[in-house]
Amino acid sequence: SGFKVFEGALLRETGPEESVVSYQRAIELLKELIERSSSNLTARRRLAAAYAEIALPLRKLSQLSAARESLQASRSIEDRLGEPRSFTRAEFGDLELEAGDRNAAFGHYQAALQLATAKIERSPEEMNARRELADIQERLGRFFESSGEWRQAGDWYAKSLDVWRDWTKYGVSSAYNKRRELMAAEALDRV
């Protein structure tokens, strides 16, 4: 199941059809694993993540109802585990924005922002939490940019840029964080 999730993640942007197939197979395997070992928390967490991650390729294929069902399945598992994830809430925001419900999208983005901020407060050195925060700030920038609210968009893009500029204070620099810093700077320049 790990390979199928990895394969699905690699193809989320460029090959949505193949990505969906890989995620669906991973979901089937994880469900089988959970049936055999119902106390396997790692498998439950991975299942929740796979349900959330498949939403993007489903949206790219214009399968919004399937994406919504998948995100609801992810959120249900997360709620049962008592482990809500900012990524799932942010994906819900993207789905609602694409579906045309700006109020619902903004609510999901705000929830995602609160979860990511709380995660950083608990574990300031956790790089994944910093990436999640920058991602949500970028999504909020796009949210406001999409309605021509340039000042708010710029504020959120600047916050995302700050996270990437401070990256090396907490972790090792790589091509990834440098690319994301450049993308955030370009977004800020755009608005």
Side-chain angles (χ1 to χ4, degrees):
S1 68
F3 176 74
K4 289 295 178 190
V5 168
F6 178 70
E7 186 178 75
L10 283 177
L11 297 168
R12 282 180 72 198
E13 294 281 346
T14 59
E17 296 91 353
E18 297 90 350
S19 179
V20 167
V21 170
S22 291
Y23 276 120
Q24 287 172 335
R25 183 63 184 136
I27 287 167
E28 290 169 13
L29 293 170
L30 286 163
K31 284 179 174 180
E32 290 172 15
L33 181 59
I34 291 167
E35 283 179 20
R36 289 194 306 266
S37 175
S38 61
S39 62
N40 188 331
L41 290 179
T42 300
R44 289 182 185 282
R45 287 181 185 113
R46 287 186 179 159
L47 180 59
Y51 273 130
E53 291 170 15
I54 196 175
L56 174 64
L58 287 170
R59 285 193 347 260
K60 285 186 168 292
L61 296 170
S62 299
Q63 297 178 23
L64 297 187
S65 62
R68 185 179 310 282
E69 288 173 17
S70 186
L71 287 169
Q72 288 168 339
S74 178
R75 188 169 179 177
S76 176
I77 295 167
E78 292 172 10
D79 288 348
R80 282 195 306 271
L81 292 172
E83 299 174 0
R85 294 182 334 126
S86 61
F87 178 81
T88 304
R89 298 321 189 269
E91 286 290 317
F92 255 121
D94 290 350
L95 173 69
E96 296 298 352
L97 188 59
E98 191 168 326
D101 190 339
R102 291 185 62 79
N103 289 334
F106 187 70
H108 286 297
Y109 290 143
Q110 289 290 66
L113 182 65
Q114 290 172 352
L115 288 167
T117 302
K119 192 172 183 181
I120 287 176
E121 288 172 359
R122 286 190 310 272
S123 304
E125 70 290 344
E126 188 178 332
M127 300 310 289
N128 191 44
R130 293 191 173 281
R131 182 195 52 75
E132 288 174 13
L133 178 63
D135 284 347
I136 294 157
Q137 292 166 332
E138 182 182 322
R139 289 174 200 233
L140 281 161
R142 285 194 310 262
F143 173 83
F144 285 109
E145 183 179 3
S146 71
S147 61
E149 298 174 74
W150 309 117
R151 178 175 292 171
Q152 294 94 328
D155 289 347
W156 286 109
Y157 286 140
K159 289 176 183 182
S160 180
L161 180 58
D162 287 344
V163 171
W164 295 116
R165 284 185 173 156
D166 289 345
W167 189 261
T168 56
K169 291 180 183 177
Y170 303 95
V172 177
S173 183
S174 69
Y176 175 75
N177 69 283
K178 288 178 183 177
R179 181 175 57 84
R180 292 297 304 271
E181 182 179 336
L182 179 62
M183 289 169 59
E186 288 171 350
L188 184 57
D189 287 344
R190 188 173 62 242
V191 298

